[in-house]
Amino acid sequence: MALKATIYKADLAISDMDRGYYASHNLTLAQHPSETIERMMLRLAVFALHADERLQFSKGISADDEPDLWRKNYGDEVEQWIELGEPDEKRLRQICGRAEAVWIYSYGGRAADIWWEGMAGKASRFDHLNIMSVPPETLAELATLCQRNMQLTATVQDGALWFSSEQGSVTVTPQRLYGSGER
């Protein structure tokens, strides 16, 4: 019998000073059986960094042809593709051809560093590409905020995210490896 996703609920209040975006989102996150708490919480943090009324979680890990998050226009075209991990060159080529803006959030520690060493010279081949890195220590801190029902506050200023709840607070400051696009 296949394992089922674990469902989490998050009430997320966002104040993004960088973009002038202020809103509350009631989110449902499905944690795939193969997904860690750290990765799921990173998805939530990345949602806060890119928050928009049309930004949504996709099937993610469950679908090879979808990102972790995306924003589509009213014509169902992908405006923003956001993926967590370290995609290969072929996948980057595919997704950069499908979306107006592509954001990759690398988070695998040493494995991510090795991936970036191999990808750094190839990144300039792709239009609309932004690559960010999140250290493993930040993932561990994000996991401490996780509960089945979460009340979170997210404040974004100067590219840094302050994530807080009754369990504490975490600062998420992704390092830009490539690109200069705006969230």
Side-chain angles (χ1 to χ4, degrees):
M1 178 184 246
L3 296 175
K4 295 184 178 185
T6 304
I7 304 300
Y8 291 83
K9 302 274 186 180
D11 291 329
L12 179 60
I14 300 171
S15 298
D16 188 333
M17 287 15 144
D18 293 349
R19 298 183 301 134
Y21 181 84
Y22 307 92
S24 293
H25 295 268
N26 294 317
L27 303 169
T28 300
L29 291 95
Q31 179 193 11
H32 189 275
S34 68
E35 183 177 37
T36 64
I37 292 290
E38 291 83 0
R39 187 180 190 286
M40 184 195 70
M41 290 302 291
L42 180 59
R43 280 195 294 134
L44 189 55
V46 169
F47 180 94
L49 285 167
H50 292 269
D52 183 274
E53 293 301 320
R54 289 181 283 123
L55 184 64
Q56 58 187 321
F57 294 103
S58 70
K59 293 177 186 172
I61 291 177
S62 300
D64 290 337
D65 61 341
E66 292 185 8
D68 291 287
L69 298 117
W70 56 12
R71 186 183 74 220
K72 293 183 175 183
N73 64 22
Y74 296 111
D76 205 36
E77 298 167 321
V78 181
E79 291 178 332
Q80 193 172 45
W81 181 291
I82 303 171
E83 190 160 313
L84 279 57
E86 293 79 33
D88 62 22
E89 185 178 0
K90 179 181 177 185
R91 178 141 175 101
L92 281 177
R93 186 174 27 263
Q94 291 170 341
I95 62 180
C96 286
R98 287 187 64 189
E100 293 176 22
V102 174
W103 288 82
I104 305 296
Y105 282 83
S106 175
Y107 64 91
R110 182 67 186 137
D113 294 341
I114 293 168
W115 169 81
W116 179 240
E117 287 173 16
M119 191 58 66
K122 301 171 186 174
S124 63
R125 298 179 191 165
F126 306 108
D127 294 329
H128 338 295
L129 179 61
N130 297 279
I131 300 175
M132 310 297 282
S133 177
V134 178
E137 304 80 41
T138 300
L139 296 177
E141 291 176 28
L142 282 171
T144 65
L145 302 180
C146 186
Q147 292 189 336
R148 292 295 291 267
N149 291 296
M150 297 176 267
Q151 302 279 327
L152 297 162
T153 302
T155 304
V156 181
Q157 186 171 15
D158 298 329
L161 165 68
W162 289 274
F163 227 20
S164 61
S165 73
E166 291 179 357
Q167 280 61 50
S169 63
V170 175
T171 302
V172 181
T173 308
Q175 176 189 2
R176 183 178 297 278
L177 299 177
Y178 181 80
S180 60
E182 302 214 4
R183 292 178 279 118

